[in-house]
Amino acid sequence: MTLPAVVLGLMFVGLIAYALFAGADFGAGIWDLLAGGTRRGARQRDLIEHSIGPVWEANHVWLIFVLVVLWTAFAGAFAALATTLYIPLTLAAFGMIARGAAFAFRKSITTLGMRRFLGAAFAVSSLITPFFLGAVVGGVASGRVPPGIAAGDVVTSWVNPTSILGGVLAVLVCAYLAAVFLCADARREGPEDLAEQFRARALGTAAVTGAVGLGGFFVLRADAPLLFAGLTGRGLSVIVLSVVAGLVAIALLVLRRYASSRLASGLAVTTILIGWAVAQYPYVLPPYLTIDQAAAPRTTLVATLVALIVGGAILVPALAYLYTLFQSEHAEHAEVGSPQPR
């Protein structure tokens, strides 16, 4: 494996981490939107706020990591992305800002009208942000981002069938991950009826996501033939693994094995992303720019790799401790299934 591929692979690990952790975070906001009225949805919103409160800011570390590595090690690809896809990227950034501000201020506001406004801002931003990020992925994967400054069409690069498919799938995957994660959190906190509600939502979302994903192959065959050929060729085994992991996750949800279903769901999403990477290899911007062509000089790549190794040795254990600090205490309880009194 070449040095550029190693650096890009490490960056892709950060992208997977962002998809899993921030994806569940965005999905929790989607369920906040769909929780119902102020009184009917109060318990669900309290659980969502309690679940994402300790770690929601930490999730964006992964996005910053991906952007910095892309900017440093693959500057040409970064420039093409930032200038051709600046509209969905800007809208996603506004969504993140509005979402964060609304989530932070909602907890300190006492007037009902303002709390509703901030809650709506948080929930709607949680819906649109993953959609625009998925649209960006669709634009890249369908070959609509050529190298150069604003060389691609700034509208059709993300308003096209593959980008719309990517946006819809991103929203559905986020909602599914959040529902699975909230099942275990609801059981851990005690209200078993909430666990059942999110279990039903997880199963329903899984069915819809599977149907959209299956139909998406026809979209890709017509709109992104290079990606379709990669997914049905060298990436097929990874996609099959994703399907198997998804079916296992559904079976675990049916059996109410919520802690294990988290792992299987995470594997399903991870392998979807890996399948995309395998199908697109060796291109960063298909079909124009390969990994080696887009890479910075060797000295820059070596310095970046050293920084990633040193930084990872500090960052990863800290984040792992942060996540496990709020989960491990009751993980065994969530697996066996007897509610713990608060």
Side-chain angles (χ1 to χ4, degrees), residues 231-253:
L231 289 174
T232 56
R234 58 176 174 267
L236 183 59
S237 59
V238 185
I239 298 301
V240 170
L241 177 59
S242 177
V243 172
V244 172
L247 293 175
V248 170
I250 292 173
L252 291 169
L253 282 171

Side-chain angles (χ1 to χ4, degrees), residues 115-235:
R115 284 183 62 87
R116 285 177 173 174
F117 171 76
L118 292 173
F122 166 70
V124 172
S125 298
S126 299
L127 177 67
I128 65 173
T129 302
F131 176 84
F132 288 125
L133 292 176
V136 167
V137 171
V140 173
S142 60
R144 289 182 167 91
V145 184
I149 304 300
D153 191 290
V154 297
V155 176
T156 59
S157 60
W158 65 281
V159 181
N160 58 77
T162 302
S163 289
I164 293 173
L165 173 66
V168 172
L169 281 176
V171 170
L172 289 173
V173 167
C174 289
Y176 168 72
L177 284 174
V180 173
F181 284 22
L182 287 167
C183 286
D185 286 350
R187 173 175 286 175
R188 184 187 67 210
E189 295 301 318
E192 187 68 19
D193 62 316
L194 282 183
E196 289 298 311
Q197 292 176 26
F198 282 111
R199 171 176 171 269
R201 292 182 175 187
L203 292 171
T205 308
V208 175
T209 304
V212 172
L214 183 62
F217 273 94
F218 297 97
V219 174
L220 296 180
R221 186 174 64 178
D223 189 61
L226 183 63
L227 178 63
F228 177 80
L231 289 174
T232 56
R234 58 176 174 267

